[in-house]
Amino acid sequence: MNVTVTAASAADLPIVLDLLQRCKMPQASLEQHLASTLVAREGVRIVGCAALEVYGRAALLRSVAVEPSSRGLGLGAQLTNAALDLARAHAVQTLYLLTDTASVFFLRFGFHRVLRTDVDPAVQRSVEFTDACPENALAMRADLT
């Protein structure tokens, strides 16, 4: 499978939102972060996505999703690594995420569990934290410095 990870375009947004819906992941306010959204393309077909919400030196990694038919091929890792690179390019020092299913996956990228109360206040005010993700979702943090 020949997949490239690139910046998402406005035309990609409906496809990404549909993928997130099918993966039972939050879609709320993603359009506000399209400039820091990545897509994995196999030819012209979008087979995965990842996005960042950048809040100064802190950011939220969100919407890491892979098309069910394309899972098990390393695309989640490819997207996560690309998102980490994008966060570094934005001078992000601390990256957070919320997950209720993939905490073990994110450990290999340097994330570790933290209390939700220990998350940067700007990230805590994001829609993901305040509304979109369930209260029982685990908060995780990676230091990029």
Side-chain angles (χ1 to χ4, degrees):
M1 175 183 270
N2 187 14
V3 173
T4 55
V5 176
T6 62
S9 70
D12 298 331
L13 184 61
I15 299 157
V16 170
L17 291 173
D18 179 64
L19 173 61
L20 292 174
Q21 182 176 13
R22 288 184 288 114
C23 293
K24 297 178 176 41
M25 295 177 69
Q27 301 115 60
S29 76
L30 183 66
E31 68 283 350
Q32 296 171 24
H33 304 282
L34 191 61
S36 53
T37 297
L38 302 167
V39 291
R41 297 179 197 278
E42 180 185 24
V44 296
R45 187 169 157 253
I46 292 175
V47 293
C49 59
L52 292 176
E53 293 186 18
V54 179
Y55 300 98
R57 298 273 181 238
L60 178 69
L61 174 61
R62 63 169 289 182
S63 307
V64 179
V66 174
E67 191 67 58
S69 62
S70 299
R71 290 185 183 156
L73 304 170
L75 294 180
Q78 192 176 345
L79 282 159
T80 301
N81 281 319
L84 289 167
D85 290 344
L86 182 60
R88 288 182 187 100
H90 281 277
V92 169
Q93 294 176 347
T94 311
L95 190 57
Y96 298 93
L97 62 84
L98 288 169
T99 183
D100 53 3
T101 60
S103 59
V104 172
F105 171 80
F106 288 109
L107 289 173
R108 73 176 99 151
F109 300 96
F111 284 90
H112 59 275
R113 284 185 65 173
V114 294
L115 297 173
R116 287 173 83 120
T117 53
D118 291 337
V119 171
D120 184 282
V123 175
Q124 283 187 38
R125 289 189 293 273
S126 71
V127 171
E128 289 269 306
F129 263 81
T130 59
D131 193 43
C133 282
E135 280 293 317
N136 64 343
L138 296 176
M140 300 184 80
R141 170 186 173 149
D143 297 309
L144 302 184
T145 52

